[in-house]
Amino acid sequence: MINREWHLLSRPVGWPKPEDFALVESEVPTPGEGQVLVRNKYLSVDPYMRGRMSAAKSYVAPFELGKVMQGGAVGEVVASNAEGIAVGDHVLHFLGWREYAAVDAKNAVKVDPDAAPLSTYLGVLGMTGLTAYAGLLRTASFKEGDVVFVSGAAGAVGSQVGQIAKLKGASRVIGSAGSDEKVKLLVEEYGFDAAFNYKNGKVSDQLREAAPDGIDVYFDNVGGDHLEAAIGQLNRDGRIAVCGMISVYNNTEPAPGPRNLARLIQTRGRIEGFLVGDHYDLQPQFVQEVGPWVASGALKYRETVVEGIENSLEAFLGVLRGDNTGKMIVKL
């Protein structure tokens, strides 16, 4: 049996190039003591992975050159050398970018394919869902009646942020996206009160038109001109939760910061970055509250599914380009 896996060959400068990676054949691993062998069914590709391709010091260790990369995955256990997990069980783990993985049982979480589609454990009910939940409710201290602005709003995280805000009583939710089709999706399917295509004009002008009375919360997935525009529209005691800054991930020179930070003095505004890994204590509460919303259809989600391990790199590059609507998933 052959196992195909993606290796990082060189650290990308600017936009990642195909020659920075290789799809390598290896032997299917044998699970050691306390491990299970998982045949991955779905892989997650996410913007944060671009940071791990760099050697720069960050909150997580960089991918090692010449070795298989890592990421979220969900699959079926085909061999077990651990108590508590049996052949036929399905588990969530973080040894993605490969077809088969020998996973330490302590790092595998059993999931129920009958309760929800397996792919949702990588998205709406997984890390991206918890990111939206924790960032909005804890980091941004959302409260009923807030006006909320979300950038990258048609993505896996942003689309949930907007919907959770509406379900929790936001007075107005505004989203930005990169196409007219996505803008239509935000308003007509996800229930945003307003949305705009950031390619159609200055973000600051479009946000001012969509939120003439200002915003109380900004959930930042983009950075750059979106962050500056949000600061410009921030109300008294406004809060900004910085989840990601995808607009600068491939820059080869440092990006300039917002030019209007002094406005935070006037508004008593707050900017705070966060990582979902610091908020796993919210997981039970998240599942208890969001699970029924998903089951009832109150919270909607989309997935962009790319088939085949050989297309994982193109799926990842598609996330950086903004090709996806909702969570980008690779189906094996």
Side-chain angles (χ1 to χ4, degrees), residues 18 39 42 49 67 141 181 186 217 245 249 276 293 314-315:
R39 179 168 59 85
Y42 294 94
M49 294 174 176
K67 294 189 177 181
S141 303
E181 182 182 6
L186 291 177
V217 168
M245 293 192 174
Y249 286 169
V276 67
W293 286 341
E314 181 55 30

Side-chain angles (χ1 to χ4, degrees), residues 235-254:
N235 289 330
R236 169 72 187 265
D237 298 317
R239 291 88 65 203
I240 295 174
V242 181
C243 176
M245 293 192 174
I246 197 169
S247 69
V248 303
Y249 286 169
N250 294 306
N251 288 3
T252 55
E253 297 293 333

Side-chain angles (χ1 to χ4, degrees), residues 32-284:
E33 185 69 29
Q35 290 188 324
V36 294
L37 179 63
V38 181
R39 179 168 59 85
N40 288 330
K41 292 191 172 183
Y42 294 94
L43 307 178
S44 177
V45 287
D46 303 281
Y48 80 87
M49 294 174 176
R50 177 62 183 88
R52 296 197 67 185
M53 295 171 187
S54 168
K57 185 177 181 181
S58 185
Y59 61 89
V60 64
F63 292 137
E64 295 185 55
L65 294 180
K67 294 189 177 181
V68 62
M69 296 184 291
Q70 300 165 356
V74 64
E76 182 180 358
V77 175
V78 293
S80 177
N81 198 11
E83 293 183 6
I85 301 180
V87 171
D89 285 343
H90 291 80
V91 296
L92 172 69
H93 61 92
F94 287 93
L95 294 183
W97 289 93
R98 69 201 83 186
E99 291 177 307
Y100 289 86
V103 182
D104 290 340
K106 64 182 180 181
N107 296 328
V109 178
K110 286 201 286 188
V111 296
D112 185 356
D114 295 324
L118 282 176
S119 59
T120 62
Y121 294 106
L122 296 175
V124 66
L125 293 178
M127 185 176 70
T128 53
L130 181 59
T131 300
Y133 189 85
L136 177 68
L137 301 183
R138 177 175 281 173
T139 306
S141 303
F142 170 85
K143 60 182 184 295
E144 188 176 351
D146 279 344
V147 177
V148 177
F149 171 45
V150 188
S151 59
V157 173
S159 59
Q160 285 194 246
V161 172
Q163 291 184 82
I164 292 172
K166 290 295 291 184
L167 288 164
K168 287 283 194 178
S171 61
R172 186 168 176 80
V173 174
I174 301 135
S176 72
S179 72
D180 293 340
E181 182 182 6
K182 289 181 179 179
V183 166
K184 184 178 180 181
L185 172 70
L186 291 177
V187 175
E188 295 185 1
E189 184 168 334
Y190 292 157
F192 282 58
D193 297 288
F196 60 84
N197 182 346
Y198 65 83
K199 297 176 182 177
N200 287 348
K202 287 184 65 176
V203 174
S204 56
D205 292 342
Q206 295 192 80
L207 178 58
R208 192 177 303 113
E209 182 178 350
D213 297 323
I215 61 173
D216 303 299
V217 168
Y218 171 46
F219 193 103
D220 190 15
N221 290 305
V222 174
D225 55 356
H226 281 74
L227 178 56
E228 185 169 293
I231 293 171
Q233 284 300 104
L234 206 62
N235 289 330
R236 169 72 187 265
D237 298 317
R239 291 88 65 203
I240 295 174
V242 181
C243 176
M245 293 192 174
I246 197 169
S247 69
V248 303
Y249 286 169
N250 294 306
N251 288 3
T252 55
E253 297 293 333
R259 297 166 295 180
N260 57 349
L261 284 173
R263 218 177 159 270
L264 295 175
I265 303 169
Q266 306 160 20
T267 63
R268 291 73 154 179
R270 170 168 61 86
I271 301 179
E272 183 177 346
F274 76 98
L275 296 172
V276 67
D278 296 332
H279 301 282
Y280 280 128
D281 62 296
L282 289 177
Q283 180 76 24

